[in-house]
Amino acid sequence: MAIVNATDESFSDSVQDGFVLVGFWAPWSRASHMTETVLKELDEQWGDRLRVVRVNVDRCQAVAYQLGITSIPTWVLFKEGNPFKHITDSQPKSFLDNILQKHI
């Protein structure tokens, strides 16, 4: 499955069905760029059971504000449109894999 780049307008539809991992990032954040590889690897590994969505906080300020995103990168895991797990800072793929294995 391909990584979805959500906007304020498309975000709600992007997280409605099943499990969704949302990566909040910004183009000026070096740490955000370092997580790009992790997002791609997670999408390749979990794509049949999980949708991966990216949200640029500079362009999607309403979504970031609504979810209380105060640092980036931040990862939020959704189930059926409801956020249930927030993870802040850059994390290795193995850390995120462990979380996904527990919840999916």
Side-chain angles (χ1 to χ4, degrees):
M1 192 174 278
I3 296 173
V4 174
N5 289 299
T7 63
D8 281 337
E9 295 77 23
S10 69
F11 182 79
S12 183
D13 289 338
S14 298
V15 298
Q16 281 307 308
D17 299 322
F19 287 97
V20 181
L21 178 66
V22 179
F24 290 88
W25 70 285
W28 46 264
S29 167
R30 181 180 169 118
S32 292
H33 291 287
M34 293 169 43
T35 64
E36 185 65 28
T37 301
V38 173
L39 274 178
K40 289 178 183 176
E41 291 174 0
L42 290 171
D43 183 57
E44 289 173 9
Q45 180 179 344
W46 292 89
D48 59 334
R49 295 179 278 171
L50 172 80
R51 177 181 300 133
V52 178
V53 175
R54 293 177 61 207
V55 174
N56 178 337
V57 296
D58 288 345
R59 293 187 177 169
C60 303
Q61 293 178 2
V63 169
Y65 178 78
Q66 176 186 4
L67 291 170
I69 305 302
T70 58
S71 66
I72 53 171
T74 292
W75 314 78
V76 180
L77 192 56
F78 285 77
K79 181 178 181 184
E80 304 300 334
N82 298 306
F84 70 92
K85 183 77 174 169
H86 282 75
I87 306 147
T88 57
D89 299 324
S90 295
Q91 299 294 339
K93 182 179 173 286
S94 59
F95 179 84
L96 295 167
D97 274 333
N98 286 334
I99 290 172
L100 294 174
Q101 289 173 2
K102 290 177 186 175
H103 295 288
I104 296 179

